Amino acid sequence: MLTSRPVAGFLVRVTLAHVVTYFAVGLVAATVFNYEELFAQPIIRDFMRPFGSVAVIVGPLLQVVRGLIIAAVLLPFRSVLVARLGWLWLWLLFIGVGILSTPAAAPGSLEGAVYSQLPWWYHLIGMPEMLVQTLLFSALTGLIARHPDGVMAALPPVLDRVVRALVVTCLSFIGYAVVSVIFALASGAAVGSAENLSPAVQGVFVAPFVANGVIAFFASANGSRGRAAAALISYAFGAVAILGYQALVFGSAGLLYALVAPVLPAAILWFATSRAPREDPASVDDAERSVSRPGSLR
């Protein structure tokens, strides 16, 4: 039975689960714990790259590779993951091997606390992010293993659309990050400056992010029938929003960047809304009862 399950689907879904949870939890943690100031602390700045460096900006791309590796490693253990507490065993494995007992002296690990010069508070401050991200990822992976035909099919229709909107919003960050880094490198700008991650600079993406999520939520109700229009609306809104924001905040706008940056997020939205909409079971039952009722076909 397990061998008949689509391997590619498992790999893709687990990779997406990792990317989305990593991005969502990391964004909250970076804001709450002020990573920009944290990474500039003595000793920490010698261990971590600056918060605005190229490595940090393109980090979400690395998470795609990490997600694929994790998914490939978990592939033979689907029989464990489908169990009722399979997600819990996976999370405990992350805590025991991936966090506390890593082979290297990593932050948050026992060896890291003993052998590295990192202060104790730095080992502890990263714990909430690691524990929450691995918990959410483990729970999603358990759902993916139990529903090989798609987790969305096991969710209520409205929640299905909410999840799709969240995924589109998170993955849009990757698209904008890629284009931003390419443009910065091509122009010779100081990508490694922490100013690149300042609220003023990053604020240019707020409206397109929110818009993509809203568009994905409503477009998913129509499935593939409306995905072309949704992608075009996403692209047009992103271009106009970027031009408007740059003109208002910075006094000038980059037309080429505004025209190129929304392309990948719009493509992501197009793929995310490619499936046909699901019918609400309640509405289907109501329709069946109305047909079976005498005189309902008049």
Side-chain angles (χ1 to χ4, degrees):
M1 180 64 180
L2 286 175
T3 57
S4 65
R5 294 178 180 177
V7 173
F10 180 84
L11 295 176
V12 171
R13 293 185 181 101
V14 171
T15 299
L16 283 175
H18 171 74
V19 172
V20 171
T21 56
Y22 182 92
F23 172 78
V25 177
L27 182 62
V28 173
T31 303
V32 172
F33 297 111
N34 193 4
Y35 279 2
E36 181 176 355
E37 180 179 340
L38 182 67
F39 288 0
Q41 297 294 317
I43 300 180
I44 309 301
R45 64 188 176 208
D46 298 325
F47 179 77
M48 298 292 294
R49 295 183 184 274
F51 188 60
S53 67
V54 177
V56 175
I57 295 175
V58 301
L61 292 177
L62 175 63
Q63 303 315 313
V64 176
V65 179
R66 285 190 62 209
L68 282 172
I69 294 174
I70 295 172
V73 171
L74 293 177
L75 196 57
F77 301 98
R78 285 178 293 173
S79 59
V80 177
L81 295 173
V82 297
R84 185 170 60 89
L85 296 179
W87 64 271
L88 179 59
W89 309 140
L90 177 59
W91 187 45
L92 293 177
L93 183 65
F94 271 119
I95 295 175
V97 178
I99 298 177
L100 297 178
S101 301
T102 56
S109 69
L110 297 178
E111 288 208 348
V114 173
Y115 295 115
S116 75
Q117 299 186 56
L118 296 171
W120 275 94
W121 61 263
Y122 185 75
H123 290 286
L124 297 176
I125 202 171
M127 278 294 181
E129 179 184 356
M130 291 188 289
L131 292 174
V132 172
Q133 190 270 325
T134 52
L135 172 61
L136 293 177
F137 172 77
S138 299
L140 286 175
T141 302
L143 286 174
I144 292 169
R146 290 196 296 273
H147 302 282
D149 294 329
V151 175
M152 299 299 186
L155 298 176
V158 173
L159 187 55
D160 179 340
R161 294 165 59 192
V162 170
V163 172
R164 287 182 183 277
L166 178 61
V167 170
V168 168
T169 304
C170 292
L171 293 183
S172 294
F173 177 82
I174 296 179
Y176 284 114
V178 171
V179 176
S180 299
V181 170
I182 292 175
F183 268 77
L185 293 176
S187 63
V191 182
S193 173
E195 295 179 357
N196 291 315
L197 293 180
S198 65
V201 174
Q202 294 301 307
V204 70
F205 303 123
V206 173
F209 281 170
V210 175
N212 269 1
V214 174
I215 294 170
F217 176 80
F218 288 103
S220 59
N222 297 319
S224 58
R225 290 175 297 178
R227 62 176 178 166
L232 288 175
I233 294 173
S234 169
Y235 173 81
F237 184 90
V240 172
I242 291 174
L243 283 173
Y245 184 92
Q246 290 179 334
L248 290 174
V249 176
F250 303 117
S252 61
L255 179 60
L256 181 60
Y257 175 79
L259 294 177
V260 175
V263 171
L264 189 52
I268 291 171
L269 190 147
W270 185 83
F271 281 107
T273 55
S274 61
R275 294 175 58 181
R278 291 168 49 206
E279 294 181 310
D280 192 329
S283 62
V284 173
D285 292 341
D286 291 341
E288 291 178 349
R289 283 195 294 267
S290 65
V291 172
S292 61
R293 204 175 293 130
S296 61
L297 297 179
R298 288 183 300 179

PDB file of all heavy atoms in Angstrom, residues 214-245:
ATOM      1  N   VAL A 214      -5.017  37.564  -0.626  1.00  0.00           N
ATOM      2  CA  VAL A 214      -6.448  37.803  -0.837  1.00  0.00           C
ATOM      3  C   VAL A 214      -6.889  37.283  -2.200  1.00  0.00           C
ATOM      4  O   VAL A 214      -7.937  36.629  -2.335  1.00  0.00           O
ATOM      5  CB  VAL A 214      -6.750  39.315  -0.710  1.00  0.00           C
ATOM      6  CG1 VAL A 214      -8.209  39.596  -1.078  1.00  0.00           C
ATOM      7  CG2 VAL A 214      -6.468  39.792   0.711  1.00  0.00           C
ATOM      8  N   ILE A 215      -6.083  37.556  -3.226  1.00  0.00           N
ATOM      9  CA  ILE A 215      -6.422  37.096  -4.577  1.00  0.00           C
ATOM     10  C   ILE A 215      -6.449  35.575  -4.627  1.00  0.00           C
ATOM     11  O   ILE A 215      -7.360  34.973  -5.217  1.00  0.00           O
ATOM     12  CB  ILE A 215      -5.416  37.650  -5.606  1.00  0.00           C
ATOM     13  CG1 ILE A 215      -5.537  39.163  -5.698  1.00  0.00           C
ATOM     14  CG2 ILE A 215      -5.657  37.022  -6.976  1.00  0.00           C
ATOM     15  CD1 ILE A 215      -4.431  39.808  -6.509  1.00  0.00           C
ATOM     16  N   ALA A 216      -5.466  34.927  -3.992  1.00  0.00           N
ATOM     17  CA  ALA A 216      -5.417  33.462  -3.988  1.00  0.00           C
ATOM     18  C   ALA A 216      -6.625  32.875  -3.275  1.00  0.00           C
ATOM     19  O   ALA A 216      -7.165  31.850  -3.696  1.00  0.00           O
ATOM     20  CB  ALA A 216      -4.128  32.989  -3.322  1.00  0.00           C
ATOM     21  N   PHE A 217      -7.062  33.523  -2.191  1.00  0.00           N
ATOM     22  CA  PHE A 217      -8.216  33.018  -1.443  1.00  0.00           C
ATOM     23  C   PHE A 217      -9.470  33.000  -2.311  1.00  0.00           C
ATOM     24  O   PHE A 217     -10.199  32.005  -2.357  1.00  0.00           O
ATOM     25  CB  PHE A 217      -8.451  33.869  -0.198  1.00  0.00           C
ATOM     26  CG  PHE A 217      -9.671  33.483   0.578  1.00  0.00           C
ATOM     27  CD1 PHE A 217      -9.652  32.395   1.439  1.00  0.00           C
ATOM     28  CD2 PHE A 217     -10.858  34.206   0.447  1.00  0.00           C
ATOM     29  CE1 PHE A 217     -10.784  32.026   2.147  1.00  0.00           C
ATOM     30  CE2 PHE A 217     -11.990  33.851   1.158  1.00  0.00           C
ATOM     31  CZ  PHE A 217     -11.952  32.754   2.009  1.00  0.00           C
ATOM     32  N   PHE A 218      -9.729  34.091  -3.011  1.00  0.00           N
ATOM     33  CA  PHE A 218     -10.944  34.172  -3.825  1.00  0.00           C
ATOM     34  C   PHE A 218     -10.802  33.403  -5.136  1.00  0.00           C
ATOM     35  O   PHE A 218     -11.767  32.796  -5.620  1.00  0.00           O
ATOM     36  CB  PHE A 218     -11.298  35.635  -4.107  1.00  0.00           C
ATOM     37  CG  PHE A 218     -11.829  36.371  -2.907  1.00  0.00           C
ATOM     38  CD1 PHE A 218     -11.023  37.248  -2.206  1.00  0.00           C
ATOM     39  CD2 PHE A 218     -13.123  36.161  -2.468  1.00  0.00           C
ATOM     40  CE1 PHE A 218     -11.500  37.921  -1.083  1.00  0.00           C
ATOM     41  CE2 PHE A 218     -13.620  36.838  -1.351  1.00  0.00           C
ATOM     42  CZ  PHE A 218     -12.801  37.710  -0.657  1.00  0.00           C
ATOM     43  N   ALA A 219      -9.596  33.394  -5.709  1.00  0.00           N
ATOM     44  CA  ALA A 219      -9.404  32.699  -6.980  1.00  0.00           C
ATOM     45  C   ALA A 219      -9.515  31.198  -6.830  1.00  0.00           C
ATOM     46  O   ALA A 219      -9.973  30.505  -7.750  1.00  0.00           O
ATOM     47  CB  ALA A 219      -8.048  33.063  -7.579  1.00  0.00           C
ATOM     48  N   SER A 220      -9.119  30.671  -5.672  1.00  0.00           N
ATOM     49  CA  SER A 220      -9.165  29.219  -5.475  1.00  0.00           C
ATOM     50  C   SER A 220     -10.594  28.694  -5.446  1.00  0.00           C
ATOM     51  O   SER A 220     -10.815  27.495  -5.614  1.00  0.00           O
ATOM     52  CB  SER A 220      -8.445  28.846  -4.170  1.00  0.00           C
ATOM     53  OG  SER A 220      -9.040  29.489  -3.052  1.00  0.00           O
ATOM     54  N   ALA A 221     -11.568  29.578  -5.251  1.00  0.00           N
ATOM     55  CA  ALA A 221     -12.969  29.144  -5.266  1.00  0.00           C
ATOM     56  C   ALA A 221     -13.417  28.764  -6.675  1.00  0.00           C
ATOM     57  O   ALA A 221     -14.354  27.995  -6.855  1.00  0.00           O
ATOM     58  CB  ALA A 221     -13.872  30.247  -4.722  1.00  0.00           C
ATOM     59  N   ASN A 222     -12.731  29.298  -7.683  1.00  0.00           N
ATOM     60  CA  ASN A 222     -13.088  29.021  -9.077  1.00  0.00           C
ATOM     61  C   ASN A 222     -12.144  28.036  -9.745  1.00  0.00           C
ATOM     62  O   ASN A 222     -12.349  27.696 -10.907  1.00  0.00           O
ATOM     63  CB  ASN A 222     -13.096  30.335  -9.877  1.00  0.00           C
ATOM     64  CG  ASN A 222     -14.131  31.313  -9.375  1.00  0.00           C
ATOM     65  OD1 ASN A 222     -15.240  30.916  -9.054  1.00  0.00           O
ATOM     66  ND2 ASN A 222     -13.768  32.578  -9.296  1.00  0.00           N
ATOM     67  N   GLY A 223     -11.111  27.596  -9.020  1.00  0.00           N
ATOM     68  CA  GLY A 223     -10.184  26.623  -9.574  1.00  0.00           C
ATOM     69  C   GLY A 223      -9.456  27.165 -10.790  1.00  0.00           C
ATOM     70  O   GLY A 223      -9.130  28.345 -10.876  1.00  0.00           O
ATOM     71  N   SER A 224      -9.208  26.293 -11.780  1.00  0.00           N
ATOM     72  CA  SER A 224      -8.419  26.663 -12.948  1.00  0.00           C
ATOM     73  C   SER A 224      -9.124  27.675 -13.837  1.00  0.00           C
ATOM     74  O   SER A 224      -8.486  28.328 -14.664  1.00  0.00           O
ATOM     75  CB  SER A 224      -8.075  25.417 -13.765  1.00  0.00           C
ATOM     76  OG  SER A 224      -9.265  24.749 -14.162  1.00  0.00           O
ATOM     77  N   ARG A 225     -10.430  27.844 -13.670  1.00  0.00           N
ATOM     78  CA  ARG A 225     -11.170  28.753 -14.542  1.00  0.00           C
ATOM     79  C   ARG A 225     -10.745  30.205 -14.354  1.00  0.00           C
ATOM     80  O   ARG A 225     -10.782  30.992 -15.290  1.00  0.00           O
ATOM     81  CB  ARG A 225     -12.675  28.628 -14.296  1.00  0.00           C
ATOM     82  CG  ARG A 225     -13.269  27.306 -14.773  1.00  0.00           C
ATOM     83  CD  ARG A 225     -14.728  27.204 -14.395  1.00  0.00           C
ATOM     84  NE  ARG A 225     -14.899  27.199 -12.934  1.00  0.00           N
ATOM     85  CZ  ARG A 225     -16.071  27.160 -12.332  1.00  0.00           C
ATOM     86  NH1 ARG A 225     -17.187  27.154 -13.042  1.00  0.00           N
ATOM     87  NH2 ARG A 225     -16.142  27.128 -11.007  1.00  0.00           N
ATOM     88  N   GLY A 226     -10.340  30.560 -13.154  1.00  0.00           N
ATOM     89  CA  GLY A 226     -10.008  31.964 -12.915  1.00  0.00           C
ATOM     90  C   GLY A 226      -8.549  32.219 -12.639  1.00  0.00           C
ATOM     91  O   GLY A 226      -8.188  33.334 -12.275  1.00  0.00           O
ATOM     92  N   ARG A 227      -7.702  31.209 -12.815  1.00  0.00           N
ATOM     93  CA  ARG A 227      -6.307  31.395 -12.403  1.00  0.00           C
ATOM     94  C   ARG A 227      -5.558  32.356 -13.315  1.00  0.00           C
ATOM     95  O   ARG A 227      -4.669  33.076 -12.850  1.00  0.00           O
ATOM     96  CB  ARG A 227      -5.577  30.059 -12.335  1.00  0.00           C
ATOM     97  CG  ARG A 227      -5.474  29.299 -13.643  1.00  0.00           C
ATOM     98  CD  ARG A 227      -4.637  28.050 -13.430  1.00  0.00           C
ATOM     99  NE  ARG A 227      -4.525  27.248 -14.636  1.00  0.00           N
ATOM    100  CZ  ARG A 227      -3.648  26.274 -14.792  1.00  0.00           C
ATOM    101  NH1 ARG A 227      -2.825  25.991 -13.800  1.00  0.00           N
ATOM    102  NH2 ARG A 227      -3.582  25.584 -15.901  1.00  0.00           N
ATOM    103  N   ALA A 228      -5.882  32.408 -14.620  1.00  0.00           N
ATOM    104  CA  ALA A 228      -5.201  33.340 -15.518  1.00  0.00           C
ATOM    105  C   ALA A 228      -5.520  34.775 -15.131  1.00  0.00           C
ATOM    106  O   ALA A 228      -4.625  35.632 -15.046  1.00  0.00           O
ATOM    107  CB  ALA A 228      -5.601  33.065 -16.959  1.00  0.00           C
ATOM    108  N   ALA A 229      -6.804  35.041 -14.873  1.00  0.00           N
ATOM    109  CA  ALA A 229      -7.203  36.386 -14.459  1.00  0.00           C
ATOM    110  C   ALA A 229      -6.584  36.741 -13.111  1.00  0.00           C
ATOM    111  O   ALA A 229      -6.142  37.877 -12.897  1.00  0.00           O
ATOM    112  CB  ALA A 229      -8.720  36.481 -14.379  1.00  0.00           C
ATOM    113  N   ALA A 230      -6.534  35.777 -12.187  1.00  0.00           N
ATOM    114  CA  ALA A 230      -5.941  36.022 -10.876  1.00  0.00           C
ATOM    115  C   ALA A 230      -4.465  36.367 -10.996  1.00  0.00           C
ATOM    116  O   ALA A 230      -3.966  37.273 -10.320  1.00  0.00           O
ATOM    117  CB  ALA A 230      -6.128  34.797  -9.983  1.00  0.00           C
ATOM    118  N   ALA A 231      -3.749  35.645 -11.848  1.00  0.00           N
ATOM    119  CA  ALA A 231      -2.328  35.907 -12.037  1.00  0.00           C
ATOM    120  C   ALA A 231      -2.105  37.292 -12.640  1.00  0.00           C
ATOM    121  O   ALA A 231      -1.189  38.023 -12.239  1.00  0.00           O
ATOM    122  CB  ALA A 231      -1.706  34.832 -12.926  1.00  0.00           C
ATOM    123  N   LEU A 232      -2.942  37.671 -13.600  1.00  0.00           N
ATOM    124  CA  LEU A 232      -2.812  38.992 -14.214  1.00  0.00           C
ATOM    125  C   LEU A 232      -3.104  40.110 -13.203  1.00  0.00           C
ATOM    126  O   LEU A 232      -2.413  41.132 -13.167  1.00  0.00           O
ATOM    127  CB  LEU A 232      -3.765  39.107 -15.408  1.00  0.00           C
ATOM    128  CG  LEU A 232      -3.379  38.302 -16.655  1.00  0.00           C
ATOM    129  CD1 LEU A 232      -4.465  38.406 -17.711  1.00  0.00           C
ATOM    130  CD2 LEU A 232      -2.041  38.794 -17.216  1.00  0.00           C
ATOM    131  N   ILE A 233      -4.134  39.892 -12.380  1.00  0.00           N
ATOM    132  CA  ILE A 233      -4.449  40.892 -11.349  1.00  0.00           C
ATOM    133  C   ILE A 233      -3.307  41.001 -10.350  1.00  0.00           C
ATOM    134  O   ILE A 233      -2.920  42.104  -9.931  1.00  0.00           O
ATOM    135  CB  ILE A 233      -5.762  40.525 -10.632  1.00  0.00           C
ATOM    136  CG1 ILE A 233      -6.937  40.612 -11.610  1.00  0.00           C
ATOM    137  CG2 ILE A 233      -6.003  41.433  -9.429  1.00  0.00           C
ATOM    138  CD1 ILE A 233      -8.244  40.099 -11.039  1.00  0.00           C
ATOM    139  N   SER A 234      -2.753  39.854  -9.954  1.00  0.00           N
ATOM    140  CA  SER A 234      -1.621  39.848  -9.026  1.00  0.00           C
ATOM    141  C   SER A 234      -0.441  40.610  -9.598  1.00  0.00           C
ATOM    142  O   SER A 234       0.188  41.428  -8.909  1.00  0.00           O
ATOM    143  CB  SER A 234      -1.218  38.403  -8.722  1.00  0.00           C
ATOM    144  OG  SER A 234       0.022  38.353  -8.038  1.00  0.00           O
ATOM    145  N   TYR A 235      -0.137  40.346 -10.865  1.00  0.00           N
ATOM    146  CA  TYR A 235       0.994  41.024 -11.499  1.00  0.00           C
ATOM    147  C   TYR A 235       0.755  42.526 -11.596  1.00  0.00           C
ATOM    148  O   TYR A 235       1.625  43.330 -11.237  1.00  0.00           O
ATOM    149  CB  TYR A 235       1.247  40.452 -12.895  1.00  0.00           C
ATOM    150  CG  TYR A 235       2.295  41.224 -13.667  1.00  0.00           C
ATOM    151  CD1 TYR A 235       3.653  41.009 -13.441  1.00  0.00           C
ATOM    152  CD2 TYR A 235       1.914  42.192 -14.591  1.00  0.00           C
ATOM    153  CE1 TYR A 235       4.611  41.736 -14.126  1.00  0.00           C
ATOM    154  CE2 TYR A 235       2.867  42.927 -15.276  1.00  0.00           C
ATOM    155  CZ  TYR A 235       4.213  42.695 -15.048  1.00  0.00           C
ATOM    156  OH  TYR A 235       5.159  43.414 -15.720  1.00  0.00           O
ATOM    157  N   ALA A 236      -0.420  42.913 -12.074  1.00  0.00           N
ATOM    158  CA  ALA A 236      -0.722  44.334 -12.255  1.00  0.00           C
ATOM    159  C   ALA A 236      -0.702  45.072 -10.923  1.00  0.00           C
ATOM    160  O   ALA A 236      -0.132  46.166 -10.814  1.00  0.00           O
ATOM    161  CB  ALA A 236      -2.086  44.490 -12.935  1.00  0.00           C
ATOM    162  N   PHE A 237      -1.313  44.473  -9.900  1.00  0.00           N
ATOM    163  CA  PHE A 237      -1.341  45.120  -8.592  1.00  0.00           C
ATOM    164  C   PHE A 237       0.075  45.246  -8.034  1.00  0.00           C
ATOM    165  O   PHE A 237       0.438  46.280  -7.474  1.00  0.00           O
ATOM    166  CB  PHE A 237      -2.213  44.334  -7.619  1.00  0.00           C
ATOM    167  CG  PHE A 237      -2.347  45.006  -6.269  1.00  0.00           C
ATOM    168  CD1 PHE A 237      -3.379  45.906  -6.031  1.00  0.00           C
ATOM    169  CD2 PHE A 237      -1.437  44.763  -5.257  1.00  0.00           C
ATOM    170  CE1 PHE A 237      -3.500  46.541  -4.801  1.00  0.00           C
ATOM    171  CE2 PHE A 237      -1.545  45.388  -4.022  1.00  0.00           C
ATOM    172  CZ  PHE A 237      -2.581  46.277  -3.795  1.00  0.00           C
ATOM    173  N   GLY A 238       0.885  44.180  -8.176  1.00  0.00           N
ATOM    174  CA  GLY A 238       2.251  44.220  -7.667  1.00  0.00           C
ATOM    175  C   GLY A 238       3.067  45.311  -8.325  1.00  0.00           C
ATOM    176  O   GLY A 238       3.793  46.060  -7.650  1.00  0.00           O
ATOM    177  N   ALA A 239       2.966  45.427  -9.650  1.00  0.00           N
ATOM    178  CA  ALA A 239       3.731  46.446 -10.368  1.00  0.00           C
ATOM    179  C   ALA A 239       3.314  47.852  -9.951  1.00  0.00           C
ATOM    180  O   ALA A 239       4.149  48.712  -9.670  1.00  0.00           O
ATOM    181  CB  ALA A 239       3.556  46.254 -11.875  1.00  0.00           C
ATOM    182  N   VAL A 240       1.998  48.084  -9.889  1.00  0.00           N
ATOM    183  CA  VAL A 240       1.496  49.409  -9.515  1.00  0.00           C
ATOM    184  C   VAL A 240       1.848  49.735  -8.062  1.00  0.00           C
ATOM    185  O   VAL A 240       2.241  50.871  -7.744  1.00  0.00           O
ATOM    186  CB  VAL A 240      -0.032  49.486  -9.734  1.00  0.00           C
ATOM    187  CG1 VAL A 240      -0.592  50.792  -9.166  1.00  0.00           C
ATOM    188  CG2 VAL A 240      -0.365  49.367 -11.208  1.00  0.00           C
ATOM    189  N   ALA A 241       1.718  48.741  -7.174  1.00  0.00           N
ATOM    190  CA  ALA A 241       2.017  48.974  -5.758  1.00  0.00           C
ATOM    191  C   ALA A 241       3.483  49.311  -5.553  1.00  0.00           C
ATOM    192  O   ALA A 241       3.827  50.207  -4.773  1.00  0.00           O
ATOM    193  CB  ALA A 241       1.634  47.737  -4.948  1.00  0.00           C
ATOM    194  N   ILE A 242       4.375  48.599  -6.247  1.00  0.00           N
ATOM    195  CA  ILE A 242       5.811  48.867  -6.106  1.00  0.00           C
ATOM    196  C   ILE A 242       6.159  50.247  -6.643  1.00  0.00           C
ATOM    197  O   ILE A 242       6.896  51.016  -6.011  1.00  0.00           O
ATOM    198  CB  ILE A 242       6.622  47.782  -6.837  1.00  0.00           C
ATOM    199  CG1 ILE A 242       6.481  46.448  -6.101  1.00  0.00           C
ATOM    200  CG2 ILE A 242       8.092  48.171  -6.923  1.00  0.00           C
ATOM    201  CD1 ILE A 242       7.123  45.270  -6.823  1.00  0.00           C
ATOM    202  N   LEU A 243       5.622  50.595  -7.818  1.00  0.00           N
ATOM    203  CA  LEU A 243       5.874  51.922  -8.380  1.00  0.00           C
ATOM    204  C   LEU A 243       5.367  53.021  -7.452  1.00  0.00           C
ATOM    205  O   LEU A 243       6.061  54.010  -7.192  1.00  0.00           O
ATOM    206  CB  LEU A 243       5.200  52.037  -9.750  1.00  0.00           C
ATOM    207  CG  LEU A 243       5.902  51.350 -10.932  1.00  0.00           C
ATOM    208  CD1 LEU A 243       5.031  51.413 -12.165  1.00  0.00           C
ATOM    209  CD2 LEU A 243       7.251  51.999 -11.204  1.00  0.00           C
ATOM    210  N   GLY A 244       4.144  52.853  -6.942  1.00  0.00           N
ATOM    211  CA  GLY A 244       3.568  53.859  -6.064  1.00  0.00           C
ATOM    212  C   GLY A 244       4.337  54.013  -4.764  1.00  0.00           C
ATOM    213  O   GLY A 244       4.591  55.131  -4.304  1.00  0.00           O
ATOM    214  N   TYR A 245       4.731  52.885  -4.183  1.00  0.00           N
ATOM    215  CA  TYR A 245       5.461  52.936  -2.912  1.00  0.00           C
ATOM    216  C   TYR A 245       6.817  53.607  -3.099  1.00  0.00           C
ATOM    217  O   TYR A 245       7.212  54.459  -2.286  1.00  0.00           O
ATOM    218  CB  TYR A 245       5.634  51.524  -2.366  1.00  0.00           C
ATOM    219  CG  TYR A 245       6.302  51.472  -1.005  1.00  0.00           C
ATOM    220  CD1 TYR A 245       5.539  51.488   0.164  1.00  0.00           C
ATOM    221  CD2 TYR A 245       7.685  51.409  -0.881  1.00  0.00           C
ATOM    222  CE1 TYR A 245       6.139  51.455   1.407  1.00  0.00           C
ATOM    223  CE2 TYR A 245       8.299  51.374   0.355  1.00  0.00           C
ATOM    224  CZ  TYR A 245       7.524  51.395   1.503  1.00  0.00           C
ATOM    225  OH  TYR A 245       8.136  51.358   2.738  1.00  0.00           O
TER     226      TYR A 245
END
